[in-house]
Amino acid sequence: MSEMKVHTVVVGAGPGGYVAAIRLAQLGIETLLIEKEYYGGVCLNVGCIPSKALIHVARTFESVQHADALGISVNKPTIDFAKTQAWKQAVVKQLTGGIKILVTKNGAKVMEATATFTGPHTLKAKAADGSETTVRFENCVLATGSSPIHIPTFPVGSRILDSTGALNLPEVPSRLAIIGGGYIGLELGSVYRKLGSEVTVIEMMDTVLPGFDADVVKAMSRKLKKDKVTVLTSAKAKSFIEKKSGLELTVEVKGKDQTVSCEYLIVSVGRRPNSRGFGLETTGVTVNDHGFVSVDSKMRTNVSHIYAIGDLAGQPMLAHHASYQGEIAAEVIAGHHAEDHAKTCAAVVFTDPEIATVGMSESEARAKGIDVVVAQFPFAALGKAKAQNDTEGFVKMIADKETEEVLGVIIVGHNAGDLIGEALLGIEMGAFVDDFGLSIHPHPTLTEALMEAAKKVKGQAIHVLNS
């Protein structure tokens, strides 16, 4: 067994880990990045990027089918899903290959191995060929990410898939069932419905997207109904029988059993942090009952030289949040003053319509005892939305009634994820309603909806009635 010493070891090359390694190297810190499987982590390999690639394909396929409304005539489109999957994987390969180059070109070392801790300053790295290396380190950044939660009664196999398997289907199924009406389940459901699948969503709560703003849920539920997606709420999948053509599920819906047939079943009920099975207990790092590792504002765990970032460190479990934390950890290790002072973190759901949120929702603000004023501006009132034949959705702005500081923004509709950046910057900078409303937004653009929503907060909107 070989041995090496390093100033800082980063375990996990996801969007938190590889960013931490790059920044550490830029700051002159001797750094080793250890990754057992995926450069880019779940996000680039079996999450964010491949799912968005399939979402783009699905939206394009749907757009072509409705192009006659724009005066464009095409033959009935078909999809070669094997070619789609090959294109998706090419996108993934290009991005993940670039990460290793970025890490090494910035001066960090990489090791492809499985890391197992043997103490607070040591770990054993085992490569695929069986060779082992003992790594001694002064500092460590834990960036081990998370994994899909599995339901014991629905074991993953050829017909039962987690989110990873759902992205690698060899065909577009004629019938698809999804356990879980959260954002991952609905993103996947939207893709396959557009590509031609009959989709049934099974959600335990009384609504899809539990925890989201009521207006978002209303808009999403309306679109699911329009797209003929079957949604079973207050429902529990109890068991299944495997048949030649697929699966037959028994689902209890509001106390009564019913049968749901499908070719494939996707289980999408959340993710859990990867905090077990690699000797973390030998380091002295505390793991809570939910598997998360608590950190302070400098990303330090209870063991001062060990840092934790990304999904392992708790909510929000988002790739961009992990990257942000990775940079903080790197700066602190290098002796710089850095701390997590972010007011908020934007989140995007790539369903149809797209959903983006930042800051407090209306219900969260009211629960904190804040007297709020709320306004919505519909995309249907925008010239740009009409011109691109996509008027579904709205911008909702939540502001403190007394001070007029903007507390939160919710966007539902085309390109919501790209539009939310303006709201994020505004909230981080402590913007007031007038900062949005009096800024001259370009016309015709979708960003005008933010300006108009801000004006409507004060009863001054121009292109919609101030009711």
Side-chain angles (χ1 to χ4, degrees):
M1 181 184 291
S2 60
E3 185 172 312
M4 67 182 296
K5 293 182 180 180
V6 67
H7 183 282
T8 300
V9 63
V10 180
V11 180
Y18 83 75
V19 169
I22 288 172
R23 189 69 188 118
L24 281 161
Q26 289 174 345
L27 293 166
I29 302 299
E30 180 193 25
T31 304
L32 172 66
L33 175 64
I34 301 177
E35 171 54 46
K36 68 176 182 179
E37 187 175 14
Y38 296 133
Y39 286 104
V42 166
C43 176
L44 266 67
N45 289 272
V46 290
C48 315
I49 299 304
S51 65
K52 303 320 167 272
L54 289 185
I55 286 168
H56 172 68
V57 170
R59 287 178 176 170
T60 302
F61 187 65
E62 183 184 51
S63 295
V64 172
Q65 289 176 301
H66 297 95
D68 60 327
L70 308 179
I72 302 171
S73 297
V74 295
N75 293 326
K76 184 177 180 181
T78 58
I79 187 160
D80 181 341
F81 203 56
K83 193 171 182 179
T84 295
Q85 290 286 20
W87 172 78
K88 179 204 74 178
Q89 286 306 116
V91 172
V92 169
K93 185 178 180 181
Q94 184 178 23
L95 288 171
T96 55
I99 286 173
K100 185 176 180 180
I101 293 170
L102 279 171
V103 172
T104 55
K105 289 294 185 182
N106 273 283
K109 296 177 182 177
V110 297
M111 181 183 291
E112 293 163 11
T114 299
T116 303
F117 287 92
T118 54
H121 284 279
T122 57
L123 62 80
K124 179 176 67 177
K126 185 174 183 180
D129 64 4
S131 61
E132 296 183 353
T133 303
T134 295
V135 179
R136 300 186 183 278
F137 54 87
E138 293 180 39
N139 295 282
C140 174
V141 179
L142 299 169
T144 53
S146 64
S147 301
I149 294 173
H150 293 159
I151 303 174
T153 49
F154 293 93
V156 171
S158 60
R159 294 283 182 180
I160 301 176
L161 313 169
D162 57 17
S163 56
T164 300
L167 294 172
N168 294 309
L169 279 172
E171 60 193 359
V172 176
S174 60
R175 289 167 293 122
L176 179 70
I178 301 170
I179 298 177
Y183 72 93
I184 296 175
L186 293 189
E187 284 184 357
L188 293 169
S190 293
V191 166
Y192 286 107
R193 181 69 193 103
K194 290 180 187 300
L195 296 178
S197 300
E198 292 180 13
V199 177
T200 300
V201 176
I202 302 161
E203 170 56 48
M204 284 190 67
M205 304 298 284
D206 60 1
T207 180
V208 294
L209 296 177
F212 277 73
D213 181 270
D215 290 322
V216 170
V217 174
K218 189 186 301 181
M220 193 70 241
S221 298
R222 185 169 57 246
K223 187 62 164 62
L224 290 169
K225 185 176 181 179
K226 180 181 177 182
D227 289 347
K228 297 181 180 179
V229 174
T230 301
V231 179
L232 305 177
T233 54
S234 301
K236 180 183 179 182
K238 295 168 65 176
S239 61
F240 71 95
I241 299 172
E242 188 159 0
K243 297 192 171 183
K244 203 170 185 180
S245 60
L247 303 172
E248 190 174 278
L249 312 179
T250 298
V251 181
E252 183 182 315
V253 184
K254 297 175 182 176
K256 295 182 180 180
D257 286 354
Q258 67 181 66
T259 300
V260 174
S261 297
C262 60
E263 281 186 78
Y264 293 95
L265 170 67
I266 298 173
V267 178
S268 178
V269 293
R271 301 184 65 84
R272 62 164 53 96
N274 295 327
S275 55
R276 311 289 183 186
F278 57 94
L280 189 56
E281 64 279 2
T282 67
T283 66
V285 170
T286 301
V287 178
N288 71 19
D289 293 340
H290 298 289
F292 293 108
V293 173
S294 295
V295 295
D296 63 14
S297 61
K298 296 181 181 293
M299 303 300 112
R300 294 177 300 202
T301 68
N302 62 297
V303 179
S304 62
H305 68 281
I306 299 180
Y307 301 71
I309 61 175
D311 290 2
L312 182 66
Q315 300 291 348
M317 296 168 75
L318 300 168
H320 46 285
H321 193 245
S323 297
Y324 169 75
Q325 291 181 322
E327 291 200 57
I328 292 173
E331 295 277 346
V332 172
I333 289 169
H336 294 214
H337 177 71
E339 205 164 350
D340 182 3
H341 286 306
K343 285 186 179 180
T344 185
C345 180
V348 184
V349 181
F350 294 89
T351 47
D352 181 17
E354 206 163 278
I355 300 163
T357 66
V358 68
M360 285 186 271
S361 68
E362 181 180 355
S363 58
E364 287 171 337
R366 294 190 191 281
K368 291 184 177 182
I370 303 172
D371 190 10
V372 296
V373 57
V374 178
Q376 278 192 37
F377 185 85
F379 282 121
L382 287 182
K384 177 64 180 294
K386 289 181 181 295
Q388 63 187 21
N389 197 34
D390 197 340
T391 58
E392 192 162 16
F394 58 86
V395 169
K396 179 176 180 178
M397 187 169 286
I398 302 101
D400 186 301
K401 191 172 184 178
E402 182 180 353
T403 66
E404 295 189 352
E405 181 179 358
V406 177
L407 304 175
V409 173
I410 296 166
I411 305 177
V412 176
H414 186 69
N415 282 354
D418 296 309
L419 297 172
I420 202 67
E422 178 183 335
L424 169 64
L425 183 61
I427 291 173
E428 281 293 340
M429 296 182 71
F432 296 91
V433 170
D434 279 343
D435 292 317
F436 286 92
L438 297 180
S439 296
I440 305 172
H441 286 64
H443 172 79
T445 66
L446 298 180
T447 64
E448 292 174 274
L450 283 157
M451 175 183 69
E452 291 271 14
K455 287 179 179 291
K456 193 179 178 186
V457 168
K458 302 183 73 169
Q460 298 170 1
I462 299 299
H463 294 95
V464 72
L465 294 176
N466 292 288
S467 54

